[in-house]
Amino acid sequence: MIVWMVIVAVVFLALLFRHPHFFQDVQYVRDKIQARRRVLKYKQTNYSILDRFLEVVKAQPHKPFILFNGETFTYQDADELSNKAARVFLHNGLVKEGDTVALFLRNEPMFLWLWLGLVKIGCNAAFLNYNIRSKSLFHCFSRSGAKTLVAAEELHNAVEELLPSLLEQQVTVFILADRCRTANMESFKDKMSQASSKPLSNDLRSHLTLQSPAAYIYTSGTTGLPKAAIISHAKLWTLACSMSMAGVTSQDVLFISLPLYHTTGFLGFISVIERGNTLALRSKFSASQFWDDCRKYNVTVIMFIGEMMRYLCNTPKKPNDQSHKVRLAIGSGLRADVWRYFISRFGNVQIKEFYGATEGNFSLLNYTGKIGAVGRDTFLNKWVFPYAVIKFDAEKGTPLRDSSGLCIEAAKGEPGLLVSEISTRAPFAGYVRDLQQNEKKRLHDVFKKGDLYFNTGDLLCIDEDNFIYFKDRVGDTFRWKGENVATTEVADIITLLDCIKEANVYGVEVPGQEGRAGMATVTLSETQRFDPADVFKHVVSFLPAYARPCFLRIQSSLDVTSTFKHMKVKLAEEGFNPNQITDPLYFLDEKNKNYVQLTVDIFNSVTSGKIRI
């Protein structure tokens, strides 16, 4: 007996030595299976996040739910205020079951009351990015199919610019103000103040299932203008379960300063309902006030994107940097060097890096704490939740295939395209009213004829120890300032200028920065003079700050592929170094409101961090 115990102990130790993360790997897959079973159970009983919210309201009505600008809103307050919002939508049959209402506002409790109110009457919301304007804004609104728009008072001018087009589509426009003096716009707040806060009948949402859309969240995806990803009620449960897997408890106070129109921001709100805890909300991220807010609200969990963490690390050091209660940080896009510095400076905060696409059917979580990784590649995870990293031709923008027409898995250490199997257990809901883009995200005949996988559009890499690392985005999208930038949209805007004939937009690496800064290589019109100041005014007028090209390069002609697609890879690799590029180069100078000639001094200042972009 003793001999057998020794043998078992030796085998056990050998297993741990060769596979030190074995038990963590098994626990992670076990948690994912339990979460999937939980969502399946909720599908069968049609139990939604709203049902969970009403349950929490009943169990703990006076518990703080939302902390914002010194105000505290309890679960009961949220229930009553969302009832009032719902009744405004119901008034005179303005909104009917199954309708979509577009929300165009910054982070504030009203955003949450509006969404809860809409779900209570069997509707869903389209979350419009409050940074976009003009053509992009109208495109996003139109794609949602909404006939009602609710906008923040401070975004009044952006809506007024589109008012003729909105009225053409017979859209009802509400402004979140006590009074609205603009013709064809109505005040929402005065109507809400007069509405009843009594509970609404469940019959108003009796048609909803967990497959019904709960929200449309916009993503740039792989090409073109922003697309509205369908977030079902079942997907909300999947997102909420991922937060509990990351370690969020019912006692936590979770802090969100990221936009609620973003998946990461809205995920935080949904998880608060699922856990029954408290959300501290800020209208906009502020690096200088971040830790003061955390201390003020006794925050224990923060949501992040990599750029936000870098900003925090760049603030001047203070004696009280580690004086806070934050124990857990959940998010994505955190560079390894920023990760190390963050925990050395701000204390032993556990960081849970995750990977996932808004419209995707697969996610990863770094549950081991390996700095820089987004998860682990294990047989068990791949078996239960099929995915692969496959060889990818960056120049052609397509996966490499063997002689039989099937895809090839990338070798260890080789960046490849992440794909995940589409099935009834892992569905791809797609984008609203965009069959063409939906099909582009579906990859057929990957490992056998007839199979179907989701194309994430992301390059990942698996190292020798089976850790997975995010490397880059592929195709016509890059990420900058925490936002996805669609290169074709930026190119379309730039070529509206008479002086620019063609534009090829792509992202370039800048030392010390997450993501890629925008750069445009352009050809000029023979008949018009190139005026850098006019170009600056144009991009500022029509593009949000994160989408404006930081650098311009002028060429006599643009290289294209055999199918006449712009060649981006070589240009992106060449970057913006005037020491190596003989073409004229320009830099987006926000201070002087101009595109100025990119000199060696400016280049050195940008790459050293002296000039921040």
Side-chain angles (χ1 to χ4, degrees):
M1 183 68 178
I2 294 175
V3 173
W4 277 109
M5 289 175 66
V6 171
I7 292 172
V8 170
V10 170
V11 171
F12 178 76
L13 290 172
L15 180 66
L16 279 183
F17 181 76
R18 290 191 61 188
H19 305 283
H21 303 290
F22 174 77
F23 291 105
Q24 287 175 295
D25 293 340
V26 172
Q27 181 64 46
Y28 173 65
V29 176
R30 180 171 171 256
D31 288 346
K32 285 183 76 172
I33 291 171
Q34 287 180 340
R36 187 158 73 178
R37 286 176 177 167
R38 185 180 172 194
V39 175
L40 182 61
K41 177 185 174 184
Y42 292 159
K43 280 184 180 179
Q44 292 168 345
T45 57
N46 218 29
Y47 180 73
S48 69
I49 283 287
L50 176 62
D51 293 314
R52 170 60 182 162
F53 169 74
L54 296 173
E55 211 172 63
V56 179
V57 170
K58 190 174 181 180
Q60 47 188 38
H62 304 300
K63 180 172 181 174
F65 179 36
I66 306 295
L67 310 176
F68 180 78
N69 276 359
E71 286 188 278
T72 298
F73 298 90
T74 65
Y75 275 86
Q76 182 172 295
D77 292 334
D79 185 36
E80 292 176 352
L81 288 164
S82 59
N83 287 342
K84 291 165 80 71
R87 291 186 189 281
V88 176
F89 290 124
L90 286 174
H91 185 66
N92 293 330
L94 176 66
V95 175
K96 300 178 178 63
E97 66 176 45
D99 282 355
T100 300
V101 173
L103 305 183
F104 187 47
L105 57 156
R106 302 180 191 276
N107 285 12
E108 57 175 291
M110 181 65 83
F111 187 112
L112 309 175
W113 313 154
L114 291 171
W115 181 77
L116 286 168
L118 286 168
V119 178
K120 285 180 176 182
I121 58 174
C123 298
N124 74 303
F127 300 160
L128 301 180
N129 181 337
Y130 53 70
N131 293 297
I132 60 175
R133 297 291 185 273
S134 190
K135 178 183 175 183
S136 294
L137 177 57
F138 187 67
H139 164 84
C140 290
F141 176 82
S142 300
R143 187 50 58 97
S144 73
K147 290 298 179 185
T148 303
L149 170 65
V150 183
E153 186 173 14
E154 66 271 21
L155 298 172
H156 176 279
N157 290 342
V159 176
E160 191 170 17
E161 181 187 348
L162 299 180
L163 199 54
S165 300
L166 294 172
L167 293 177
E168 258 183 47
Q169 295 189 5
Q170 297 182 315
V171 174
T172 301
V173 180
F174 284 109
I175 296 295
L176 290 171
D178 294 323
R179 290 182 181 179
C180 183
R181 293 172 181 165
T182 303
N184 299 307
M185 288 188 189
E186 300 181 48
S187 165
F188 193 91
K189 282 188 175 179
D190 65 337
K191 293 177 174 59
M192 189 169 158
S193 65
Q194 298 169 29
S196 168
S197 63
K198 290 181 180 179
L200 293 115
S201 170
N202 291 343
D203 292 341
L204 291 167
R205 55 187 174 94
S206 60
H207 63 285
L208 289 183
T209 70
L210 260 64
Q211 278 72 43
S212 302
Y216 298 152
I217 296 182
Y218 289 81
T219 171
S220 292
T222 55
T223 184
L225 288 161
K227 297 176 287 294
I230 301 169
I231 308 299
S232 68
H233 287 274
K235 179 73 175 273
L236 290 184
W237 271 122
T238 301
L239 293 171
C241 289
S242 70
M243 291 288 284
S244 61
M245 285 174 58
V248 179
T249 74
S250 61
Q251 303 306 310
D252 281 313
V253 176
L254 190 143
F255 184 38
I256 294 178
S257 55
L258 297 170
L260 287 167
Y261 66 73
H262 252 270
T263 308
T264 305
F266 195 62
L267 160 62
F269 166 63
I270 293 301
S271 77
V272 167
I273 293 176
E274 189 271 335
R275 296 278 85 182
N277 53 24
T278 301
L279 170 65
L281 182 67
R282 185 179 173 87
S283 59
K284 189 179 181 182
F285 170 71
S286 167
S288 63
Q289 297 179 46
F290 184 87
W291 292 110
D292 288 337
D293 285 334
C294 288
R295 285 182 276 269
K296 176 182 177 181
Y297 294 120
N298 293 314
V299 170
T300 56
V301 180
I302 61 173
M303 303 292 294
F304 72 84
I305 55 173
E307 189 75 9
M308 172 184 130
M309 300 291 258
R310 186 176 67 83
Y311 286 147
L312 292 175
C313 290
N314 285 340
T315 57
K317 288 186 177 181
K318 294 181 179 180
N320 64 344
D321 275 345
Q322 296 192 15
S323 176
H324 57 78
K325 295 181 179 179
V326 176
R327 64 175 187 86
L328 182 62
I330 304 171
S332 60
L334 184 59
R335 272 193 356 229
D337 58 332
V338 177
W339 187 326
R340 291 188 185 93
Y341 182 78
F342 182 89
I343 56 179
S344 69
R345 176 176 167 184
F346 296 111
N348 190 26
V349 178
Q350 187 180 20
I351 292 177
K352 292 291 181 74
E353 172 92 3
F354 67 81
Y355 167 84
T358 300
E359 72 276 40
N361 65 342
F362 177 76
S363 63
L364 291 164
L365 175 69
N366 182 348
Y367 48 87
T368 64
K370 175 74 171 181
I371 291 179
V374 297
R376 279 181 52 75
D377 178 52
T378 66
F379 166 78
L380 193 58
N381 192 25
K382 191 174 288 186
W383 180 53
V384 181
F385 305 93
Y387 68 93
V389 176
I390 60 176
K391 289 179 181 289
F392 185 78
D393 187 326
E395 198 62 69
K396 292 182 180 178
T398 57
L400 287 173
R401 294 182 181 265
D402 60 21
S403 57
S404 60
L406 300 178
C407 296
I408 309 161
E409 285 207 57
K412 290 286 180 70
E414 177 188 11
L417 178 69
L418 176 68
V419 296
S420 54
E421 188 177 49
I422 297 173
S423 65
T424 53
R425 288 184 172 184
F428 166 54
Y431 309 109
V432 182
R433 297 174 180 81
D434 206 332
L435 295 176
Q436 185 180 8
Q437 290 301 326
N438 287 342
E439 188 54 36
K440 281 187 177 182
K441 299 300 285 185
R442 296 185 176 103
L443 202 57
H444 298 266
D445 304 332
V446 176
F447 294 117
K448 62 182 181 182
K449 298 295 181 182
D451 66 10
L452 185 62
Y453 277 70
F454 173 73
N455 179 353
T456 64
D458 292 326
L459 294 178
L460 278 73
C461 179
I462 303 170
D463 72 6
E464 293 296 331
D465 296 320
N466 295 317
F467 286 100
I468 307 175
Y469 298 85
F470 177 85
K471 289 297 180 182
D472 207 351
R473 291 194 61 79
V474 300
D476 297 326
T477 302
F478 60 89
R479 196 162 179 83
W480 181 242
K481 302 295 184 186
E483 300 277 1
N484 287 337
V485 180
T487 58
T488 49
E489 178 187 353
V490 178
D492 287 345
I493 294 296
I494 292 175
T495 51
L496 291 174
L497 284 157
D498 292 334
C499 64
I500 292 178
K501 186 177 179 181
E502 285 184 286
N504 183 4
V505 178
Y506 48 93
V508 292
E509 292 183 341
V510 179
Q513 302 268 22
E514 281 86 9
R516 291 173 178 260
M519 184 165 182
T521 294
V522 302
T523 61
L524 302 181
S525 169
E526 297 85 357
T527 59
Q528 298 290 327
R529 184 177 66 87
F530 176 72
D531 187 336
D534 281 349
V535 177
F536 178 89
K537 290 176 185 175
H538 181 77
V539 299
V540 168
S541 298
F542 290 97
L543 291 170
Y546 61 81
R548 297 166 192 164
C550 298
F551 311 102
L552 294 180
R553 177 177 178 175
I554 298 176
Q555 290 187 328
S556 57
S557 63
L558 300 181
D559 292 333
V560 294
T561 67
S562 58
T563 55
F564 305 104
K565 291 182 179 178
H566 286 144
M567 298 177 71
K568 301 177 185 288
V569 175
K570 185 170 181 289
L571 289 170
E573 289 173 350
E574 290 173 353
F576 56 98
N577 188 346
N579 295 304
Q580 299 173 1
I581 298 171
T582 56
D583 298 325
L585 294 171
Y586 291 85
F587 172 66
L588 180 71
D589 189 335
E590 299 275 5
K591 185 177 179 181
N592 293 307
K593 301 187 185 307
N594 200 354
Y595 272 102
V596 298
Q597 189 172 359
L598 179 55
T599 62
V600 173
D601 286 343
I602 291 177
F603 172 79
N604 291 335
S605 295
V606 170
T607 54
S608 67
K610 188 176 179 181
I611 293 179
R612 294 185 180 182
I613 61 174

